[in-house]
Amino acid sequence: MALKLSDLKTSAHNDWCPGCGDFGILNAVQMALAEMNVDPSNTVVVSGVGCSSKVPHFIKTYGVHTLHGRAIPFATGIKLANPNMEVIVEGGDGDGMGIGAGHFVNSGRRNLDMLYIIHDNEVYGLTKGQAAPTLGLGKKTKSLPSPNINQSINPIMLAMASGYTWVARGYSYDVRHLKDLIIKGIRHKGYAFLDVLQPCPTYNDIQSKEYWAGEGNLDAAGKQLPRTYKMEEAGYDGVVHSDDPAEVERKVQQAMLKSFEFGDRTPLGVFYQNEFVSTYGDRLAGHSPSYKTNPPAAQEIALPDGAPLANISRLLDDLKV
Amino acid sequence: MALKLSDLKTSAHNDWCPGCGDFGILNAVQMALAEMNVDPSNTVVVSGVGCSSKVPHFIKTYGVHTLHGRAIPFATGIKLANPNMEVIVEGGDGDGMGIGAGHFVNSGRRNLDMLYIIHDNEVYGLTKGQAAPTLGLGKKTKSLPSPNINQSINPIMLAMASGYTWVARGYSYDVRHLKDLIIKGIRHKGYAFLDVLQPCPTYNDIQSKEYWAGEGNLDAAGKQLPRTYKMEEAGYDGVVHSDDPAEVERKVQQAMLKSFEFGDRTPLGVFYQNEFVSTYGDRLAGHSPSYKTNPPAAQEIALPDGAPLANISRLLDDLKV
Amino acid sequence: MKRDDFSWMIGGVQGSGVDTSATIFARAAASGGLHVFGKREYYSNIKGEHSYFQVRVSKGTIRSHVDTVDMLATFEEETIFRHALEVRSEGAIIYDPDQDPKRLDQIPTVEANVRAALNAELSKAGLSADVKGIVELARRRGAHIYPIPYNTILKDVGAKHGETSLSALQRMLNVVAVAASFALLGYDEEVVKASVRNHFRSKPKVAEMNADAVGAAYDHVGQKYAGSFSYRLSPMKSTDVKLFVRGNTMVAMAKELAGCRLQTYYPITPASDESEYLEAHSEIQLDGAAQGDPQASEVAAMKKGSIAVVQSEDEIAAVTMAIGGGLAGVRSSTSTSGPGFSLMAEGLGYAGMNEVPVVVTLYSRGGPSTGLPTRHEQGDLRFALHAGHGEFPRFVLASGDLEEAFYDTVRAFNYSEKYQTPLIHIVDKALANSDSTMSALDPTKVKIDRGAFLNEITTAVNGEFKRFQHTPTGVSPRAPLGTKGGVNWYTGDEHDELGHISEDPVNRDYMMEKRMGKLDLADREIPISERVNFFGPEDADITVVSWGSTKGAILDAMEWLKQDGITVNFIQVRLVNPFPTEYVARLLSKAKRIVGIEMNYSAQLIGVVRERTCIPIEQLVVKYNGRPMSSEEIYGALKMIYEGNAPKKLVLKHGA
Amino acid sequence: MKRDDFSWMIGGVQGSGVDTSATIFARAAASGGLHVFGKREYYSNIKGEHSYFQVRVSKGTIRSHVDTVDMLATFEEETIFRHALEVRSEGAIIYDPDQDPKRLDQIPTVEANVRAALNAELSKAGLSADVKGIVELARRRGAHIYPIPYNTILKDVGAKHGETSLSALQRMLNVVAVAASFALLGYDEEVVKASVRNHFRSKPKVAEMNADAVGAAYDHVGQKYAGSFSYRLSPMKSTDVKLFVRGNTMVAMAKELAGCRLQTYYPITPASDESEYLEAHSEIQLDGAAQGDPQASEVAAMKKGSIAVVQSEDEIAAVTMAIGGGLAGVRSSTSTSGPGFSLMAEGLGYAGMNEVPVVVTLYSRGGPSTGLPTRHEQGDLRFALHAGHGEFPRFVLASGDLEEAFYDTVRAFNYSEKYQTPLIHIVDKALANSDSTMSALDPTKVKIDRGAFLNEITTAVNGEFKRFQHTPTGVSPRAPLGTKGGVNWYTGDEHDELGHISEDPVNRDYMMEKRMGKLDLADREIPISERVNFFGPEDADITVVSWGSTKGAILDAMEWLKQDGITVNFIQVRLVNPFPTEYVARLLSKAKRIVGIEMNYSAQLIGVVRERTCIPIEQLVVKYNGRPMSSEEIYGALKMIYEGNAPKKLVLKHGA
Ligand SMILES: Cc1ncc(C[n+]2csc(CCOP(=O)(O)OP(=O)(O)O)c2C)c(N)n1
Ligand SMILES: Cc1ncc(C[n+]2csc(CCOP(=O)(O)OP(=O)(O)O)c2C)c(N)n1
Ligand code: SF4
Ligand code: SF4
Ligand SMILES: [Mg+2]
Ligand SMILES: [Mg+2]
C-alpha cells in the first residue's frame, strides 16, 4: 500500500513563523518518505533543539526531539541498537556546528548509515536571532545589534574534513530538488550530510528568500539571476566511481574546492558521494559477526520466565581459580 | 637580561615514559621561549588532560593544566581577560580533536592571538592507548586488541576548515625546526595551529620514531628515506602576501590540497599563514574601544576603600520612570 | 482579604506587541507615581502562540501578581477565549466586536484540553463556541463588557496622518487597547500620551500618530462609557517610585558596578537578555567614585573601561572561559539556565579545586531537560548545591526580588573573590522576567572586596610562587596570571602549594581541609543579615520557610493574613550554602507551625533545612505547573493550613 | 585484635610487572584453596612512578585490606624506601643486596615531604640515606631481612635456557620475588609452579623458564633460610573459593547476563577496563537457558548475539547514545567516572523526562575535578542523587562488594527498565580495582524483568501511540522505536501523552506526578532485602551506617570487635534512591550509638539519612586522603569511639 503524503502528517500544531524556510524542508522530507514508501514505524526522525528541531513532531514516523546539540549521538545510539531502522537526523546550524560541532566532526569518522540534514539559516532562531556558526564575519542581520564578530564555518568543507561519505546542499524553497536529494541521502550506504539553505524571515534579512532568488544580482539585461544553481546541471560529478585511492582523493579534493563557491553563485546538489567506505555496522560486525545477524534490538534477552538467555559460563571459566 | 633555557625548567618531576616524543616538544617550546626572551610571568602555557597535557608543570612560566578537552576555552578566557599576555595552548590529539573538537572548530572562528600545539601521537596515552581521532581506520597499534574502527581526522584540514590563520606541522624529534615553527606561531598575529607528530613508544608502534626516520621506506639503493620533509625547502609558500580575496582563497586551497600528503612523504612546515585577518581582540575593540586601551585585566575596579569605579548612573537613568 | 490594587491583563499573539502595550501601560502608571508589578507569560515560540501580560498597579508597595483579573484588554480572539472567564465579577473586558463570529475551533494554538473545557462550559450555558458566546458567558458571570470598534478608531487616526497601510494601523491596536483601559479607569490622558510619546521617541511621526490614537480612544470611551466602570486610577504626587526595571537588567547593571569585566554566555532563555544588555553597554564609565564623592579620585576620573562579552560555542566553553578570566584576575561570570548549567558541572569542580573566583548566574526555569523553557520553577537548587563530582566548596546565593538581585550580584563577586570559590547566583525566571517599580538604587552603598588579591609577587622562591600556600584561614594570597615576580601552576589534579600535581596523602588531607574549610570561614564571617531575611513578628501563628522569587507573594499574602488576624513570620534563606544552620535552627525551634513554600515538586530547600537542622518540616506548599505562585494562592494556602484543612503537601495549581 | 591472615606486599616501578607478580601470588594462593583479597595502588602515570600491590591471604573469609605488612617483597630501591618501615615487627623483607648503595636522593619520584621524613628518621638513627640504611632501620625495628641475589639466580636460570638478554631475564624478577616469598612461607612449590605455568601458558618456553626460576628461588631460600620465618602458608583441601575476580570484570559479565546490548564509553580511569572487557567479549552465547535447564528452550539454543561496544567522542555522546539505545528498546549502559559523569548531567535529565531506561555505571574515584584519578573516594554520591537541572526520578544504587556488584548490575537493568527511569550504579574504585576470591556465582539466580515492554502496538489511534498514557501507577506501556503498529514522539520539553510538546499547566502537573510518582511506586515494590543490608545483632553497642566499598572493611572489623566484646551492627544502604526511609529510621531509632562511616569529606550518605529521617548522626568516621579504609583502621576507630576517646569527626589517615 503506497504511503500518501497525508499519512505523514501529524496532529501536532506547527508554530513556525509564517514564511519560515523550515516548512519547505518539512515538505521535502515528507515527500521523500512518501515516494520511498518507507514504513513509518521503522523510521525515526531525530532532532536537537531549535526552531528546526521541532520538525519530528510534524512527521508521522517515530520522532525523537532531543537536546540542543546532541541529535547525532542520540541518533547514533538508536542506529547502533537497531541498524535496520531508517534514521534521519535534523537540526539547526547552531545545534549542529555550534554546540554540536564535536559530534559533527567525530561522527564523520564512523560512517553510520544515516542522513543528517542541517537547516542552515545562519542564526539561532529559537533564542531570538543570535549569530550561528554559518553567519559570516561582519554580517549584521536584523536581529543583531552590531555586526557578527566571528568568522563563519563552511558546512560542506567541515563535512568533507570530517569524513562524511555523501555531502550535498539543497535549498528549502526548491522543494522538489530537495526531495530528490533527501532520497539520495537516505539511499546512500553510509553517513550522508545535507546542508539546506533555509531563510529565516524573522531574524535573517540577509540570506532571505529574495536574496537567493537573486534580488540585486542582475545580469547585463537587468534580469535577476538566482544565486543558486544545480552543480550536476553544470556538469559536476561528485560520485566516486571506483575505490582506487587516487580517484577517491581526486573527488574529495574536487568537493572541497567546489565548496568555496558561495554567495552569488551557490552550488546545489551532491558535492561528494563514496559508496566504497565500509559502514560502522560492517566494522562492528567484523569484530562480532552476530552484530549483523542478530543485532541488539532484534535480540531476545530472556525467556518468558525471566531466565537470561546469555550464557556467561565461558566468561566465568576464565576466572576459576 | 637574556632568558636561559635553564630558567624555564621547573622543580616538578617529569614522569613521561622514556623515549616519549613529548620531551622533544617540551624542549622546543622552552628553546623558543628562551630565544624570544619572553617574560615568564607574562606567559602562560594552558593544557588539557593527557600525558602531553602535563607539560605546563615542566615549563617555568605560568601554567594552567585544565580539564580534558577544555584547554582552548580556558585559554580563550585568559586571553580575553588579559590580551597582553602570551598564551600558548598545548594538549593531546584526543584532547583537542576528540572531546575538544567542538572548541577546536569554533575557536577557529575567533582568530584570537594565540598558538595551539597538538601532540599528535594517534593514541590516548594517559588512558592506556585507545585510538585517538588521528589514528587511521583499520590501524592496530600494540595497545589495541583489534584494528581501529573509526576513520581518522586530518588535523591540518580540520584547522583549515575551521578558519585558523596560521597552520603548520612539526615533528617532535626535529627539535630545532620545531622550535622555529613555535616561534613563528607565537609571532603570528592571530590564531595559530601547530600539529606535531609525536611518537608514543609505549602504545603506538606504528607512527614510531623509526617509522618517521624511514624504516621500511627504502629508495632504489636500499637507503632509508625519512618519511618527513620540509615543505618550504621544496618550494612551498603558504604565506598570504596580500589581502586580495583571490589570493587568500588560492592559499587556503593550496594548504588544503597539501594536507592530503601524509605517510611516506609527510610535509613539515607552514601550510598556511594569513596576517590580514582581524583578531578577535580587534573586533571586540571595534565594538568597545576601551577593550584595547584599558583591557579587563588592566582595569582597576574599585578605589582603595572599596568604592566601585564603574559609574552606572547613565544605565539607571534609562530606567527612571 | 481586601485588595486595594488593580490587576490589568492584556494578551495577544506572540510577536504582535503584547510586551509593548504592557510596557506602555506600566510606564504610564509608574510615571504617575503608582507602584507597578508586571508578569509576562509566553510559549517557547517565536511567533504565533498566545502570550499575555499581567500588570498590577497600586498606590502602596506591591511585590507580586494575583490570580484575579480586574480588567482584560483584548484585540484578538484567542485572548478572549483564554482569559475572559478569569475576569472577576464587576471586572471589565475590552474587546473588538468585529471578532464576535470567530470560532474557538478555528484557533489551532489552543490546546485540545483547554478547548474541550471551554466547549463544555459554553454548551452547558447554551452558548455558541465563538467570541460572541464567550463574551456573553463572561457577562453573565458579572463582567462589564466594553466593545471598542478598533478599526473605526484606527482608520480615523490614520486618515488624519495620511496613513492607510493596514499593517501600520494594526501596529497601533495595542495602544488603543491601553488607552481604552486607562480611559475607563479615568486616568489622566496627558500622562498616557506622554508615556506613548516617550516610548516612540525615536520615531516622532509614529509617536504623534500613537498619541492621537490615545486621544481617539479616550474620546470614544468618554462618549460611550463615561463613568461606567467603578475603579478609578489616578496619578499620585510624590512617592518613592523611581525606577521601572526587569530582573535581567538589574543583574547586568550590578555586574558592571561590581567590576565584572568578562561575561561569557551561550544563548538560552531567559538568561541571554542579561548578556545582550551587557553587550550593548560594554563601554563602562570608570568615574564611579563620582557617584558618591564629587571630588572623585583623579586616577579614575573620566577613564573608560570595557567588559568583554563573548558568545561561546556552548556552556562548557562559557564556564571554562569565565574561569580562565578568573585565573587572569578579572571578575568573570557567565549566565545561563538549567540545560546550560547542566553542562557546567565539570568546570565548576575545576574552579573549586583551583580556588578560582567565578560567578555563575543561574536563571532557573521549568525543568527537567528542555522542560518549559519560558515558564517558571525553582527546580535547580539541589543541583546547584551538588553539581560536579567530588567535593569542593561553592556558594549558592538566591535572590528574592529585584532589589536583592542587584545588591546580591555585587556580594556574589565579593564572596567569590574573597573566598576564592565559585558562586552560583540563582535568579529564578519569575524574577528575571518580571517588571517592577522600585525606589532608587544606591551604588554608593556598594563596596568591593577583592580579598587577598596580590598586584605583585614578593614571596617567590627561585621564581616559583606558592599560590596554595598553607595559611591559618585556608585562604592563600592570590596573584593573577601575568603578575610580575614569579609564576605558579594550576591543575585539576590534587596539587601541592605551587600548584603541581601531588598524590601524596598528607598533602591531600591538607588541601581538602584548606578548600572545604573556607566555607566554615565564610560561615563565621558573613553576617546573618546578608544570608537570611526574617520578616514578621518573632512570635507568629505560622512560620514560613522559603527562598527566591516567592518572597514577594509571601510578603503580600502576609499583609492580608494580618488583616484576618493570622500572624505569619517568614524565613527567607538567601545564602543556601554555606547554610546559616544555627540561626535558622534557632528560629525554627521557636516556631509554632512551620510551612515550607517552594515552586518545585520536592521542596528542595526544605530538604536542605531538614538535613542541616534535623528539624522535620511536614507542611509543604508547592507548585510545579510552570506558573509562579500568586499572593492570592499563598494567602489561600496559609489560611487553609491555619484552619487545619490542608493536606501535608498542598499543591497550588493556578495558571494559564 | 588477632589477625590470622597474612598480608603480603610487592612494589615496583609502574609498568614493570608489579601487577603480574601480585596476580601470580594471589592465584597461587587461591588455587591452594585460600581466600585472597588484593588491592593495588598506583599513580596517574604510565611508566616510572611507584606502584604497589597488597595481597591478603587467609584460610577464612576476608573482605578487605589491612595496614600491616607481614611480608614485603622488593626488587628495586624505591619500594624499599617507601614501604620497609611499614613492615611489622617479626615481619619479613625480601630485597636485592645489590641495591644497598642506592641513595634516596637519587629517586626523583619520591615526593619531597616523603623524602624529608625518611631522611629525618634515618639521620636520627645515625644511618645513611641509602638502601643499606633503610634496611638496617627496618631490621632494628624488628623485621627479618632476606637478601636474595636476584641476578645470580636469574643468570643461572637463563644459562639453563640459553637466555642471555638482560631485559628478558629482568622480566623474571617478579616471579623470583613471588617464589622467594612462598618459599619463606613454606608453601607448596608445585602449586606455585603450576600457577606460573598457567600464567604464561600462551608462551610455553617463557612458562618453563619462569617455572625454573621458581625452582631456583625455592632452592636458594631452602638452602639459606629454611624454616627461618615463622608464618606458614599451606594449601587447603576443600573450600568455597571458586573464582578470583576484579570489580570491573564482575560488572561487565553481569551486563552481558542482564541483556545489556549497547555499551558506550569514553576512556577514563578506572572505568574503561570494563568496556574493554566487553569489547573483547562482544560475541555472546545465547543458549543461556542451558545454564539452569538442560532442556534449553529451542528458540534460543545455539543462537548468538552481540553487544555493540562503542568508544564515543566524549561522555555527553556516551550517555546520549546509550539513551538512544534505550529508546530503541535495547538495554543500554555507559560506564564512566567522576569527570565523565559530570558531563552526563544533561543527558540524565533527558532520560528522566522521557522515561528512558538507561544504566550509568559510575566508578567513583578521588575528586574533585581531575583529582586523584587512580585513587579512592566515595565522593560522588550527592552529585549522583542530584545531577541534572530540574526534577526527575532516578535510581542510585551502590554496591558494597564484588558479588553484590554482580547481582546489583542485573537488578540495575531491571529497576531501570521496569520503572523506565535512569539508574546510576556506583561502584567505587576500591571495588573496581580490587581483586578477590569468592564462591561461585549463580547465573540461574538471576531474573530479567522488562516491565511494561511492548513488542507490538495495538492501541494506536490513527497510527499514533500514547507512549505516556495516563495509568494508575504512572508507568505507561513502552514500545521501542521501530515497533510496528504505530508511532510516537519524544521531546525534552514537557509533553503530552503522545510525546508532543505541551505547556499546558494541567498536563504539566499530571506528567510531573507521573514521573516522580514512579519512585514512590518503586519504594513500595522493591523489597528491603534488595535495598539495605543489615548485619550484626539487633541490639548492639554501636550501629554503623555506611555504603559502598567500606562494607568489607567494616565487616572484618566487626569480627575483631566482637572478639573484644564490643557488639556492632551495620546498616549498609545500597539503594540510596528511592531511600528506604522507614526501614532505616526504624533501625536507627533503636540504635544506642550511631556512627557514620564514609570515604569522603562531608559524610554524604549521612546527610541523606539526616534529610530523610531527621535523626541526627553526630559521630562520623571519614577518610579523604585518596586511600581506601582498612579493616584495621575501622577497628581502631570504632574502638576509640566505644571508649569515648574519638572526636566527632574522626579522620582516618593511613595510606601510602
Ligand atoms: C544546552 C542548551 N543551551 C542552550 C539552549 C538554548 N537554545 C535553544 S534553541 C538554541 C539555538 C537554536 O539555533 P539553531 O540550532 O540554529 O536552530 P534554529 O532555531 O535556527 O532552527 C539555543 C541556543 C538549550 N536548549 N540547551
Ligand atoms: C571528561 C574526561 N573524560 C575522560 C578523561 C580521561 N582521560 C584522561 S587523559 C585522556 C586521553 C588522553 O589522550 P590525548 O589527549 O591524546 O593525550 P595523550 O595522553 O595521548 O598525550 C582521557 C580520555 C578525563 N580526564 N576527563
Ligand atoms: S524564528 Fe526563523 S527559523 Fe524560527 S520559525 Fe521563525 S522564521 Fe523559522
Ligand atoms: S604513554 Fe606514550 S605519550 Fe604517554 S608518556 Fe608514555 S610514551 Fe609518552
Ligand atoms: Mg539556525
Ligand atoms: Mg594522544
Side-chain angles (χ1 to χ4, degrees), chain B residues 16 22 49-53 67-70 91-96 99 119 121-127 130 132-133 198 200, chain C residues 346, chain D residues 266-269 314-315 336-341 343 365 370 373:
Chain B
W16 286 327
D22 286 340
V49 169
C51 295
S52 43
S53 288
L67 295 170
H68 189 45
R70 315 303 167 197
D93 41 9
D95 193 79
I99 191 169
H119 296 224
N121 60 6
E122 308 200 354
V123 291
Y124 281 13
L126 194 54
T127 47
Q130 297 89 352
Q198 176 241 315
C200 163
Chain C
E346 196 192 9
Chain D
Y266 185 72
I268 194 163
T269 309
D314 61 19
E315 289 89 349
T336 189
S337 74
F341 187 68
L343 293 172
R365 70 187 204 188
T370 312

Side-chain angles (χ1 to χ4, degrees), chain B residues 105-122:
Chain B
V105 169
N106 281 286
S107 61
R109 299 168 47 218
R110 288 194 196 97
N111 203 34
L112 267 170
D113 188 11
M114 23 182 231
L115 168 64
Y116 180 26
I117 305 174
I118 277 192
H119 296 224
D120 183 352
N121 60 6
E122 308 200 354

Side-chain angles (χ1 to χ4, degrees), chain A residues 179-193:
Chain A
K179 180 261 299 171
D180 289 340
L181 284 174
I182 292 168
I183 293 177
K184 283 185 199 162
I186 293 176
R187 295 221 166 111
H188 170 66
K189 194 180 70 59
Y191 198 20
F193 172 64

Side-chain angles (χ1 to χ4, degrees), chain B residues 236-288:
Chain B
Y236 180 91
D237 175 17
V239 181
V240 174
H241 295 287
S242 88
D243 64 352
D244 170 14
E247 146 102 342
V248 174
E249 183 165 322
R250 207 161 39 77
K251 290 282 159 122
V252 171
Q253 293 182 345
Q254 172 190 259
M256 297 193 94
L257 294 180
K258 193 76 184 167
S259 76
F260 282 79
E261 290 181 21
F262 196 79
D264 286 349
R265 254 182 85 74
T266 302
L268 302 181
V270 179
F271 287 82
Y272 177 71
Q273 174 177 351
N274 183 350
E275 305 285 338
F276 297 101
V277 184
S278 60
T279 67
Y280 200 74
D282 299 337
R283 300 175 200 164
L284 279 176
H287 192 58
S288 168

